[in-house]
Amino acid sequence: MAGFRARGGVAIVGYAQSPIQRHAPVTLGTLAVDTARRAIGDAGLAVADVDGFVTGALFPTAGAHAVEDGISIVSSNWLADRLGTNPRYAAGFQGFGQVPGAVALAVNAIASGAADYVLVHRALHNPVGSYHANPMRRAAGAQQWTAPQGYFGPLAMIALPYNEYLQRYGARRDTMAKVVVEARKNGAQVPWSYWHGKPFTVDQYLAAPMIDDPICRYDCDIPVDGVAAFVFTSAERARDLPHRPVYVLGYGFGSPTTHRLPLHWPLDDIMSTGTETARRLWEATGLRPGDVDLPQVYDGFSPFVYFWLEVLGFCPVGEAHRLVDEGGIDSDRPGALPVLSGGGALGNGRMHGVPQMLECYLQLSRRAGERQRERATIGVACHSSPHFGGAVAYSAEPPGAA
Amino acid sequence: VPDERSAPYWEAAARHVLVVARCARCGNLAHPPADVCPHCRSTEPGFAWEPVSGRGTVRSWTVMHQSSLPGFDADLPFVLVDVELVEQPELRLIGRLVDGAGAPLRAGAPVTVAFEDLGDGVSVPAFALEAGA
């Protein structure tokens, strides 16, 4: 792909974000309907105008929770139905990196003419009780290769490649405290964040007990109930709507081909496939790392920050821990990379790639209020692990205007 | 729970033998075996289990202080090692390290297979640091 043909042809024109809570007082479906209505209204549209609905509905738990539409997930079809509309296009992204994945489906639908106004939403649920605890006594199917050994769940999954990183590059675990403190500092400024008004300290990080060494609880985002919704349309139609459009320049995705055990994510897999995903992003958009003012890397597990920084080329491989240690991601420091300026998942709660995307939208549309940054023309929003997820590039300027 | 495909693996483990499946088409080892060979992509891989040396090197590890599964709490903390077997590059297994949470570990440390007997004829492959490593 030599450049994305729809580059800049589709834009975000409105949004809504629900409060991010441990347990919402209403069902996830109710929250999604309310949030969708607000987003459509924010874009200056009526529900009847929206003819496309897209999401990535995965409920990312290893636990034994039932998956129920409208309760623990919200599909596009469910949402359109409850809004009382019959869209021309309704789809769900089935891979990892649900947020950029859904954006890509929306962009493609609009660019192809399959829909004119697409609502992209992401609804995440925190069930009562432990998020990942699983009472299985018998490990069958794919689990039989790892569960009898006690290898289970995403914390052990991320602990292995993170420890590989620490060993290979001589990184110190203490350095990661700066990532979490940065995310929470910025999340504390975000009105809807679960962590609003609750910044965090290095000492708190260092005092936390290990869960799966070298991972402690603060290396993981906190499970929440929350919904975000964005309205997309063509750049042409966006001109008639109330808010300044934010244009999609392109995206990059990928997935590894090396055969592995369930949830086995070796560092080399993450880096090699992630590097190819980044190459696809740069090729599609014509951008280089130096063009990006807001590289919003994904941080659902803190080590992803290092991995994304390196695959995207913001620092050499093996150097992200040094960059962080030297204050290189402090969003208040001139010249530093504001990679968690929106608070990320660690600073907002488990909203998947929503905080990254929302920060790009708010900053580039000049709607960030007191948090508005001066230099914000190009943003990149990442989600998931670099080897399974994706990244979308956004611009405050229509294509050709630069 | 063994199924049709994995029964030989667990039967061998019960005899304290580590086996890995080899594709009859391309001759590469694959763990776990799958419908389509992950190397030559044949849909008729005809995987056959064969004993391996059980020797390998530690690529990474984690010390588990909490488990989401029942039955492991009494064993906490325990170490899981990500081991690359000597038979083939990137042939990696994850197992418990029987040496305990205090064992001196480093990337590249040589290990060899060990078996933990759970009773009822079930043994789970694990790893032990090689002496003098």
Side-chain angles (χ1 to χ4, degrees):
Chain A
M1 185 167 75
F4 184 44
R5 223 186 307 154
R7 177 163 47 192
V10 174
I12 308 178
V13 293
Y15 87 104
Q17 166 73 60
S18 79
I20 300 171
Q21 299 163 287
R22 281 293 271 169
H23 298 287
V26 296
T27 63
L28 192 66
T30 305
L31 201 59
V33 169
D34 285 340
T35 306
R37 284 202 181 108
R38 279 175 47 217
I40 294 165
D42 182 64
L45 299 168
V47 168
D49 297 323
V50 177
D51 57 356
F53 286 79
V54 170
T55 193
L58 180 84
F59 181 22
T61 171
H65 309 289
V67 173
E68 191 178 351
D69 211 353
I71 302 292
S72 53
I73 64 162
V74 177
S75 70
S76 300
N77 304 77
W78 189 98
L79 184 58
D81 176 80
R82 296 311 191 276
L83 286 165
T85 190
N86 170 18
R88 285 200 286 155
Y89 183 81
F93 180 76
Q94 63 172 7
F96 288 102
Q98 292 82 9
V99 172
V103 168
L105 290 180
V107 169
N108 295 355
I110 291 165
S112 68
D116 292 336
Y117 299 94
V118 177
L119 184 92
V120 172
H121 83 279
R122 182 69 174 116
L124 282 142
H125 178 52
N126 179 31
V128 173
S130 169
Y131 199 83
H132 290 304
N134 194 312
M136 72 160 80
R137 293 273 165 190
R138 296 156 59 84
Q143 296 288 358
Q144 70 179 299
W145 306 108
T146 44
Q149 288 82 350
Y151 185 71
F152 183 81
L155 274 64
M157 172 195 81
I158 193 66
L160 287 180
Y162 180 37
N163 197 26
E164 265 189 294
Y165 185 97
L166 294 178
Q167 303 298 325
R168 190 178 298 181
Y169 301 118
R172 291 165 46 86
R173 195 187 155 266
D174 299 6
T175 304
M176 196 60 87
K178 294 191 178 181
V179 169
V180 184
V181 167
E182 171 68 15
R184 291 281 296 273
K185 174 188 77 181
N186 296 319
Q189 315 282 322
V190 173
W192 46 80
S193 166
Y194 174 73
W195 298 115
H196 177 66
K198 294 179 214 138
F200 186 72
T201 66
V202 168
D203 289 342
Q204 280 174 288
Y205 181 85
L206 297 178
M210 292 292 179
I211 299 177
D212 296 344
D213 191 347
I215 293 287
C216 75
R217 67 187 293 190
Y218 296 115
D219 292 305
C220 313
D221 54 0
I222 192 165
V224 292
D225 281 337
V227 179
F230 298 85
V231 180
F232 286 73
T233 192
S234 66
E236 201 181 344
R237 290 188 191 87
R239 281 196 292 250
D240 302 326
L241 297 174
H243 296 296
R244 184 175 169 153
V246 171
Y247 302 89
V248 179
L249 296 181
Y251 46 78
F253 288 91
S255 56
T257 55
T258 311
H259 183 60
R260 297 294 182 195
L261 291 160
L263 294 183
H264 187 201
W265 289 10
L267 181 61
D268 289 337
D269 290 10
I270 294 174
M271 297 305 291
S272 62
T273 307
T275 301
E276 173 61 14
T277 290
R279 193 195 63 74
R280 292 172 181 177
L281 176 74
W282 303 134
E283 184 177 78
T285 58
L287 297 169
R288 291 165 302 165
D291 298 327
V292 182
D293 307 311
L294 283 173
Q296 296 287 297
V297 299
Y298 183 63
D299 63 334
F301 293 114
S302 60
F304 287 148
V305 172
Y306 292 174
F307 305 157
W308 275 112
L309 280 168
E310 295 180 8
V311 299
L312 288 168
F314 289 105
C315 64
V317 171
E319 294 287 324
H321 67 105
R322 275 186 240 285
L323 180 77
V324 166
D325 198 42
E326 290 159 6
I329 65 163
D330 180 349
S331 58
D332 294 325
R333 213 182 89 173
L337 292 166
V339 301
L340 290 165
S341 59
L346 293 169
N348 281 275
R350 186 168 302 157
M351 286 300 297
H352 270 183
V354 164
Q356 286 75 9
M357 177 181 177
L358 185 51
E359 175 69 353
C360 288
Y361 175 67
L362 292 175
Q363 295 290 347
L364 301 187
S365 65
R366 307 289 183 260
R367 299 181 71 187
E370 291 176 356
R371 299 192 309 105
Q372 184 64 49
R373 303 180 67 83
E374 274 180 41
R375 192 173 155 226
T377 304
I378 304 284
V380 167
C382 308
H383 178 208
S384 190
S385 171
H387 73 319
F388 274 111
V392 180
Y394 295 98
S395 173
E397 305 292 342
Chain B
V1 179
D3 53 30
E4 202 177 312
R5 181 178 285 152
S6 68
Y9 175 83
W10 290 109
E11 279 163 21
R15 290 182 280 113
H16 288 202
V17 176
L18 181 66
V19 295
V20 177
R22 188 182 293 282
C23 174
R25 300 284 169 267
C26 70
N28 283 297
L29 297 168
H31 187 78
D35 292 331
V36 179
C37 173
H39 300 287
C40 68
R41 307 293 162 180
S42 168
T43 53
E44 294 176 356
F47 280 115
W49 294 96
E50 62 180 61
V52 291
S53 66
R55 288 184 296 114
T57 54
V58 172
R59 295 292 302 265
S60 189
W61 69 92
T62 173
V63 186
M64 302 286 287
H65 292 270
Q66 231 181 66
S67 177
S68 302
L69 293 175
F72 287 93
D73 285 358
D75 293 341
L76 296 172
F78 63 88
V79 180
L80 287 169
V81 282
D82 170 356
V83 173
E84 180 170 357
L85 294 180
V86 295
E87 275 77 10
Q88 185 175 297
E90 288 302 316
L91 180 63
R92 284 161 82 158
L93 272 65
I94 295 169
R96 280 158 47 113
L97 188 77
V98 297
D99 305 68
L105 266 170
R106 59 179 172 81
V111 289
T112 191
V113 72
F115 290 87
E116 292 186 298
D117 297 324
L118 304 187
D120 293 334
V122 176
S123 296
V124 178
F127 292 94
L129 283 168
E130 280 191 7

